[in-house]
Amino acid sequence: MTPSEIQSIKQRFGIIGNAPSLNFAIQVAAQVAPTDMTVLITGESGSGKESFSKIIHALSPRKHGQFIAVNCGAIPEGTIDSELFGHEKGSFTGATEARKGYFEVTNGGTIFLDEIGEMPLGTQARLLRVLENGEFIRVGSSKVQKTDVRVVAATNVNLLNAVQEGRFREDLYYRLNTVPITVPPLRERGEDIYLLFRKFATDFAERYRVKPITLTPDAQQELMRFRFPGNIRQLKNIAEQMSVLETDREIESRGLRRYLPQDQSSNLPMLLGATADGTAPQGLSERDLLYKVLFDMRRDMTDLKRLVLEVAAGAARGGDGAGQAQELVRQNSHLFTNVGPNLSVAPYDGGSRLGGRPPEASEPFIINTQPATDYEEDEEAAPVEDITHETEEESLSLEAKEKEMIIKALKKHHNKRKYAAQDLGISERTLYRKLKQYDLE
């Protein structure tokens, strides 16, 4: 599908954004629409899953048939069978007349079952029969009826976990998951956040007949750093509040923070939701992973600088100090991996530089990151005093560290990308893109 075709679908259904993950989801929906395959849409609450069900229906041969959206979590367990499959008169208290269910009404059309994970087990068995044979039975009846309905389901929970916990039928899961579509959360869509905010601000300005809200550059960055657990729905509410309450139509970051719940912000530089051992949990975005890598590198560099200072100070004292320096280097050898080509271990030079006596064993003992240069000995300016500066030649390549973590994760899980992605805390799609970017395929 060409970019222009994807853009045409966005305009038709009012979808705002250019994130690659969003474009991919739209492409899958458009490709599967002409078929009768069952589709399972997954994504967080408020991320816009219902829009994809409308795309599938409108681009399918059933577009002239009826489309019904049903929230399975909003229907009481005692009445959901009647709502979906209908009932006969007198089948239960209050059933004063026969009633058609949604599957009977939408014959020839599409039914969207939102929050499918909340459906009771008994109803799941009835739904499985409809999907397999197109057959259903009204509540209180023994007559088997036929229906030709396409089912599009959506959920914001992990159905595999629900299967393992016995809350969802495994056979129904695999029957629904014929074609999966993942709708990305708002926090992973980058600049789409500000595009959506501008759209909502313009819409509410027209509705309330006021000047549209605008954000300063700092406020724009503040908005895009926010995690938005409520996704698009939460962003829309914030835009509406600001449109009504703000007298100054240009909002700075300080004013924006009043509308962003503090307990839902990213709290940087802390890694949100990190586990006790410092590893990234499942479900973290790519940005969170990069922050984790950055702070791991910073911690390693701090340890390395402390170690170099202790080595130099011990060697300068000579005698036992030099031997202690050797032992300190051996104990912390893991800090010197992948530091760079200039790293070397210099042999003892007879104490001409640091004034110490040679140890009994002729072992290397001091780390050099730069070529040695001669200098005039001066008792008032000891060499150790000038070692606390930061070396500017060190190259902290974030991409190299990220590539290294991806390689380690793949080796750990025997090249199984699904589990490697979970271990890294990113989606499989992000991992595939990174593999292509670093030529690791």
Side-chain angles (χ1 to χ4, degrees):
M1 177 172 289
T2 63
S4 60
E5 291 175 329
I6 295 177
Q7 187 62 32
S8 175
I9 293 175
K10 291 179 186 178
Q11 293 176 353
R12 179 178 175 182
F13 295 94
I15 298 176
I16 306 296
N18 299 305
S21 54
L22 177 68
N23 290 340
F24 180 77
I26 294 174
Q27 179 179 342
V28 174
Q31 288 178 326
V32 76
T35 72
D36 271 338
M37 300 173 71
T38 305
V39 179
L40 178 62
I41 305 172
T42 59
E44 296 180 5
S45 179
S47 57
K49 297 187 292 295
E50 186 170 348
S51 297
F52 287 84
S53 67
K54 294 178 179 178
I55 292 175
I56 294 171
H57 174 70
L59 299 182
S60 72
R62 299 174 180 268
K63 60 184 177 182
H64 299 297
Q66 192 163 359
F67 174 85
I68 292 182
V70 181
N71 190 330
C72 299
I75 304 176
E77 183 174 349
T79 61
I80 189 170
D81 285 353
S82 172
E83 293 289 332
L84 293 178
F85 308 107
H87 64 260
E88 296 293 344
K89 180 179 179 179
S91 58
F92 55 86
T93 302
T96 56
E97 59 183 10
R99 178 184 179 278
K100 293 182 178 181
Y102 295 135
F103 277 97
E104 191 172 351
V105 171
T106 56
N107 186 28
T110 305
I111 185 168
F112 174 55
L113 299 177
D114 197 8
E115 307 303 343
I116 190 72
E118 304 298 325
M119 180 177 287
L121 286 171
T123 309
Q124 292 177 28
R126 288 173 172 262
L127 176 59
L128 182 62
R129 185 174 182 182
V130 173
L131 294 175
E132 290 181 343
N133 305 318
E135 298 177 348
F136 71 95
I137 301 176
R138 287 185 181 182
V139 176
S141 173
S142 58
K143 180 182 177 182
V144 177
Q145 300 191 49
K146 284 281 189 176
T147 185
D148 178 21
V149 176
R150 182 182 193 171
V151 175
V152 178
T155 180
N156 63 351
V157 300
N158 190 321
L159 288 185
L160 277 178
N161 290 344
V163 169
Q164 295 173 358
E165 296 170 2
R167 295 184 290 108
F168 201 84
R169 292 179 63 101
E170 184 175 14
D171 47 3
L172 177 59
Y173 168 75
Y174 289 110
R175 188 65 182 81
L176 288 171
N177 199 32
T178 306
V179 178
I181 295 178
T182 302
V183 181
L186 184 59
R187 61 179 171 274
E188 294 183 3
R189 291 175 55 181
E191 296 182 357
D192 287 0
I193 296 175
Y194 184 57
L195 291 177
L196 283 164
F197 178 85
R198 289 174 55 188
K199 171 65 166 58
F200 294 145
T202 302
D203 290 345
F204 290 126
E206 294 178 358
R207 177 184 300 181
Y208 300 117
R209 298 180 181 179
V210 294
K211 184 179 178 181
I213 288 287
T214 60
L215 301 179
T216 64
D218 289 343
Q220 294 177 26
Q221 295 300 319
E222 185 82 19
L223 184 74
M224 289 188 289
R225 283 196 298 266
F226 190 69
R227 292 188 59 81
F228 286 103
N231 291 292
I232 298 175
R233 187 180 295 119
Q234 184 180 15
L235 176 63
K236 186 175 182 179
N237 291 342
I238 290 174
E240 185 171 15
Q241 291 178 40
M242 296 173 65
S243 298
V244 173
L245 301 178
E246 286 294 329
T247 56
D248 187 357
R249 308 314 288 177
E250 184 178 32
I251 309 300
E252 298 181 350
S253 57
R254 180 185 302 178
L256 177 63
R257 292 192 196 103
R258 296 199 299 266
Y259 298 91
L260 303 180
Q262 295 301 312
D263 58 344
Q264 295 178 354
S265 60
S266 59
N267 292 327
L268 297 176
M270 181 187 300
L271 180 64
L272 185 68
T275 54
D277 59 356
T279 59
Q282 296 183 14
L284 286 182
S285 67
E286 180 180 355
R287 183 180 63 183
D288 293 327
L289 176 62
L290 292 178
Y291 280 126
K292 180 182 184 301
V293 172
L294 180 61
F295 288 114
D296 284 347
M297 292 170 62
R298 179 180 178 183
R299 184 180 62 249
D300 288 347
M301 289 304 302
T302 300
D303 292 343
L304 183 59
K305 291 176 182 178
R306 173 189 56 78
L307 176 63
V308 171
L309 286 175
E310 293 179 4
V311 168
R317 289 193 297 269
D320 294 338
Q324 294 174 359
Q326 296 175 17
E327 182 62 26
L328 193 58
V329 171
R330 284 193 294 268
Q331 291 177 357
N332 296 272
S333 60
H334 64 283
L335 293 175
F336 298 96
T337 58
N338 300 326
V339 173
N342 293 327
L343 181 66
S344 61
V345 181
Y348 184 71
D349 60 359
S352 61
R353 297 192 179 280
L354 298 177
R357 291 176 294 141
E360 295 181 1
S362 58
E363 297 180 359
F365 72 95
I366 185 167
I367 301 298
N368 291 330
T369 57
Q370 297 178 349
T373 57
D374 293 332
Y375 60 89
E376 296 179 0
E377 295 184 357
D378 187 351
E379 294 180 355
E380 296 181 357
V384 178
E385 299 292 330
D386 192 35
I387 199 170
T388 58
H389 72 284
E390 295 185 1
T391 304
E392 297 181 357
E393 295 180 2
E394 295 171 351
S395 175
L396 299 181
S397 174
L398 194 59
E399 292 185 356
K401 193 68 177 180
E402 185 181 49
K403 180 178 179 180
E404 178 186 347
M405 290 185 66
I406 291 174
I407 293 174
K408 288 182 178 179
L410 289 171
K411 288 182 178 180
K412 177 181 176 182
H413 296 284
H414 308 290
N415 288 325
K416 294 182 178 179
R417 297 180 179 180
K418 175 181 179 181
Y419 301 110
Q422 292 176 354
D423 200 5
L424 291 169
I426 59 178
S427 65
E428 288 186 65
R429 190 174 298 109
T430 300
L431 178 59
Y432 294 152
R433 189 173 72 252
K434 291 296 181 182
L435 292 175
K436 186 176 181 180
Q437 176 183 345
Y438 297 130
D439 196 21
L440 297 176
E441 292 183 321

